Amino acid sequence: EKGYETGEHAPGLKLGGCGAYKAAHHIIKTHAKVWHSYNNTWRSEQQGMVGISLTSAWGEPVDPHSQTDRDAAERYIQFHLGWFANPIYKGDYPEVMKNYVGRKSAQQGLGTSRLPTFSVQEKTYIKGTSDFLGIGHFTTRYVLQKSFPFLQVSSYHTDSDLAELVDPKWPAPGPKWLYSAPWGFRRLLNFIKTHYGNPLIYVTENGVSEKVQCTQLCDEWRIEYLKGYINEILKALNDGVNVRGYTAWSLLDKFEWNKGFSERFGFYHIDFKNKNKPRYPKASVDYYRNIISANGFPNSREVMS
């Protein structure tokens, strides 16, 4: 979406309303081809697994008693996670995506939907092409219905007719998009369990960057973030969600998309100005090391709330 819709990321194309959908369509078909290639050629010999890693926030209705808000929150998840997961687990794009993008395309006078379609053969070929689901998750949004004027330029962001809100009380230790709301992770994991047949899940990305560089490397907010989110994964395990592994994001400060080296997600601080790029452990290193050593929270009273 940022590469082909808004142009913020490489390759910097601004193909509003259709670029992201086309790029995603190719990604999904290519993913299926790779899975089948491995399945047919290497699996019997190597016994490996091929999956896909998808990043999604959780969408929570502003008013859980409002059907309109609940529908909007459902649309939020379908336009993010479901966009890729639905074809792989169910064989096609989410119905709500097809309906909304199709209707808006018709209103624009287009003969076909801006959301591409899979042939019957492609649907069969794509469905089931994941031995596990990788999940990247960082934050949550409150969601409500918001209709965009018909004459507005078409965009992936306006196709779903919703607005995203955050609670100002949520900690926001990192970039402006990343608010800490750990409970959303448990809900996202349970959504995956319910909608995609409780697949094997590996958490491939979860972490927080810092707004200001802490000279003493005292990243207590990262410790709190990790504690909260890992605790919600434990609750999801108790709910019966099939989570097999967890990867914190990330080991080192590194190059972060269009933010370059300014956005630091690492456990280890890197001095990028020094040609040797020395690494210094932040306080979160000890905390996370203890979790790994204990394969859980070292203090048993911290585990469940």
Side-chain angles (χ1 to χ4, degrees):
E1 175 266 323
K2 285 184 168 63
Y4 294 88
E5 179 94 26
T6 64
E8 290 172 66
H9 290 176
L13 301 180
K14 297 180 180 179
L15 307 171
C18 60
Y21 295 134
K22 282 183 181 172
H25 201 67
H26 291 309
I27 288 169
I28 293 162
K29 291 204 287 185
T30 308
H31 162 78
K33 188 159 190 173
V34 170
W35 186 91
H36 281 287
S37 169
Y38 186 85
N39 196 51
N40 297 333
T41 311
W42 302 104
R43 190 187 299 276
S44 57
E45 180 186 331
Q46 296 180 345
Q47 299 298 307
M49 294 196 300
V50 177
I52 193 165
S53 186
L54 307 175
T55 299
S56 181
W58 172 249
E60 181 76 8
V62 168
D63 178 2
H65 304 295
S66 157
Q67 187 63 48
T68 308
D69 285 4
R70 288 206 304 271
D71 290 346
E74 168 85 12
R75 273 201 310 286
Y76 178 88
I77 296 294
Q78 295 295 0
F79 265 79
H80 287 81
L81 179 69
W83 184 8
F84 293 86
N86 225 71
I88 289 168
Y89 285 96
K90 298 187 174 183
D92 199 4
Y93 290 121
E95 285 302 314
V96 71
M97 273 191 91
K98 294 196 288 185
N99 292 343
Y100 270 67
V101 182
R103 188 178 73 245
K104 296 207 170 194
S105 301
Q107 287 171 349
Q108 291 173 280
L110 301 174
T112 55
S113 175
R114 287 181 281 103
L115 183 70
T117 53
F118 294 114
S119 68
V120 174
Q121 290 86 352
E122 285 171 340
K123 288 177 185 177
T124 307
Y125 187 73
I126 292 163
K127 186 178 180 182
T129 56
S130 207
D131 304 318
F132 65 88
L133 178 60
I135 283 293
H137 175 76
F138 295 90
T139 192
T140 281
R141 293 287 184 266
Y142 280 115
V143 182
L144 48 74
Q145 162 84 24
K146 179 182 179 181
S147 297
F148 289 89
F150 156 61
L151 291 172
Q152 202 164 357
V153 180
S154 64
S155 147
Y156 163 74
H157 285 289
T158 55
D159 280 340
S160 50
D161 276 353
L162 52 84
E164 301 173 33
L165 308 171
V166 294
D167 186 334
K169 295 191 198 71
W170 289 346
K176 61 178 187 281
W177 59 269
L178 207 168
Y179 290 79
S180 179
W183 52 266
F185 203 4
R186 182 185 187 182
R187 296 186 186 195
L188 178 68
L189 291 168
N190 272 282
F191 178 93
I192 292 165
K193 173 191 168 192
T194 304
H195 285 75
Y196 305 125
N198 202 14
L200 174 61
I201 294 172
Y202 287 94
V203 177
T204 45
E205 290 186 33
N206 172 242
V208 66
S209 65
E210 52 226 52
K211 276 179 187 158
V212 287
Q213 187 185 321
C214 184
T215 48
Q216 288 78 37
L217 306 176
C218 49
D219 55 348
E220 293 91 352
W221 66 87
R222 184 173 282 109
I223 290 169
E224 285 304 309
Y225 180 96
L226 291 166
K227 181 197 285 185
Y229 276 79
I230 293 171
N231 198 26
E232 292 299 317
I233 299 170
L234 283 170
K235 292 178 191 176
L237 277 166
N238 279 353
D239 298 335
V241 181
N242 191 10
V243 185
R244 183 74 55 85
Y246 173 84
T247 313
W249 190 261
S250 57
L251 178 67
L252 311 171
D253 290 340
K254 53 167 188 54
F255 190 82
E256 191 65 42
W257 299 96
N258 55 332
K259 299 292 188 293
F261 297 109
S262 66
E263 204 162 283
R264 295 173 176 268
F265 276 87
F267 282 121
Y268 285 84
H269 175 83
I270 310 293
D271 182 357
F272 292 113
K273 293 190 174 76
N274 185 317
K275 70 175 170 50
N276 294 322
K277 309 287 187 289
R279 304 166 180 185
Y280 303 100
K282 302 174 189 176
S284 52
V285 166
D286 277 339
Y287 181 75
Y288 194 56
R289 183 187 285 127
N290 287 337
I291 288 178
I292 292 169
S293 306
N295 194 28
F297 290 109
N299 180 345
S300 61
R301 286 174 301 179
E302 281 184 25
V303 175
M304 297 301 294
S305 61

